Amino acid sequence: MPPADPSAEPDAAPDAGSTGVGRAGTGSNDAASAGAESAEVGSSGVEDTLDLKLTEELLALIAEERSAGTRRATVPGDLLGDPGAWPPAATPAGEFALLPVRLERDLSVISRWMNDPAVAAFWELAGPESVTADHIRPQLEGDGRSIPCLGVLDGTPMSYWEIYRADLDPLARHYPARPHDTGVHLLLGGVKNRGRGVGTTLLRAVADLVLDNLPRCGRVVAEPDLRNTPSVSAFLSAGFRFSAEVDLPDKRAALMIRDRTYRAQL
C-alpha cells in the first residue's frame, strides 16, 4: 500500500518505527493479494540484519535473467506483458529494473524481508519460507494478472513488487475501476533503503515503467492502509493523488492514483 508526504520526501518525515509495507485485503490471481504499502519509514537505529549479501551465484543468475537472450518476449494478449523485459529506469538512486521472481532463487531473500517486524505488521506474511511461497506461488501459476518481481537497484535486489491488473482484482469491487487499471504493491527490503526518499523515487520510476510499457493502461493505482502515513506520503510525493478512502476486507485504505494524463505535471 502507498506511502506518503505530498511536498516532503519521506526522509523528512519522523521515524515511525515501521516500514510502509502492507498486506491488502484484495486478491491477486486466486490468492489474497498483499496490498503493499511503500516502505517509506526511517530506520530504527538498530543493526539491519536483513540486508542481502549477494553471492557470485546470485549475481550471475540476475545477469542471466536480465540478458536479452533469456527474456520472454511480450505476447499480444498478455495481461501485463513481461516486466523483466522492460528497459531499466535511470533514477536519482541508481539504475533500477524489475526482475520477475523465481522461487528457487529468490524465496529465501523475500521471506527474510517478510520477517522484518516492520514489514510483517502490514504484509502479515512472517513465518517460515512456506508462508511466503504460498503467497507468491499462485501468482506465478496464475493467468498473469499479478506478477511478483524483485526490484534491482544498481545490480542489487533490494525490494519486492507486485504488478497487478487492478481492474481484474477484487479491489475493483471497491472503486470505479477502468479497463487496464494497473496496481502496484511495494516492500523495501533493508533498513538502509528506508527514510531516505528511495521509496518515492522507485514508486515514480515503476509507475512510469508501467505507463511506458502498457500503452492501454491509463492509470496506476495503489491502496495503502490509511494508518500507514509514511507510505501514503511517499505515493503523494511520487505523483499519485489521493482519490478516496475505501473499506477493504481487512483495512481502510487510501486509494491512490497516478494518471497518465497528468504524469508530466505531477
Side-chain angles (χ1 to χ4, degrees):
M1 315 221 137
D5 175 355
S7 57
E9 285 290 319
D11 53 0
D15 184 353
S18 66
T19 68
V21 204
R23 184 146 194 243
T26 59
S28 294
N29 285 328
D30 300 324
S33 127
E37 278 71 28
S38 88
E40 280 307 315
V41 165
S43 73
S44 62
V46 299
E47 181 180 1
D48 180 10
T49 59
L50 298 177
D51 285 343
L52 173 64
K53 306 301 183 197
L54 294 180
T55 64
E56 292 184 4
E57 180 182 9
L58 179 56
L59 286 169
L61 283 169
I62 291 170
E64 176 187 354
E65 188 77 11
R66 292 299 303 168
S67 67
T70 62
R71 294 179 190 162
R72 177 176 64 86
T74 301
V75 178
D78 275 2
L79 294 175
L80 289 166
D82 179 13
W86 298 351
T91 79
E95 184 178 84
F96 179 79
L98 292 170
L99 183 68
V101 166
R102 284 166 36 193
L103 282 179
E104 69 275 14
R105 181 193 63 201
D106 306 322
L107 178 58
S108 62
V109 171
I110 299 171
S111 180
R112 286 170 60 196
W113 292 341
M114 292 296 184
N115 278 278
D116 179 338
V119 171
F122 291 98
W123 282 80
E124 301 177 358
L125 291 174
E129 290 185 359
S130 59
V131 174
T132 298
D134 288 345
H135 172 74
I136 293 176
R137 188 174 290 110
Q139 299 178 68
L140 298 176
E141 296 176 353
D143 60 6
R145 71 181 64 190
S146 181
I147 301 179
C149 297
L150 283 182
V152 180
L153 186 64
D154 285 337
T156 300
M158 46 71 67
S159 54
Y160 171 72
W161 298 77
E162 291 172 351
I163 312 299
Y164 68 100
R165 279 288 297 270
D167 60 325
L168 303 178
D169 188 89
L171 174 64
R173 303 169 188 160
H174 301 275
Y175 84 104
R178 298 178 185 173
H180 300 284
D181 276 358
T182 301
V184 295
H185 297 148
L186 162 64
L187 177 164
L188 290 185
V191 169
K192 67 181 182 181
N193 292 313
R194 303 174 194 155
R196 302 190 295 112
V198 174
T200 290
T201 296
L202 298 186
L203 281 168
R204 181 179 291 275
V206 169
D208 283 342
L209 283 172
V210 168
L211 294 172
D212 287 343
N213 291 280
L214 300 176
R216 291 185 291 179
C217 170
R219 308 189 302 179
V220 181
V221 306
E223 13 72 68
D225 195 309
L226 271 174
R227 300 168 299 169
N228 195 339
T229 303
S231 178
V232 174
S233 175
F235 276 96
L236 291 169
S237 297
F240 287 72
R241 60 180 172 85
F242 175 80
S243 176
E245 294 183 14
V246 292
D247 287 312
L248 301 179
D250 65 351
K251 68 182 178 186
R252 188 162 181 80
L255 179 67
M256 311 297 296
I257 295 177
R258 187 162 189 218
D259 301 276
R260 178 184 295 277
T261 304
Y262 305 114
R263 65 186 293 200
Q265 287 75 44
L266 297 172

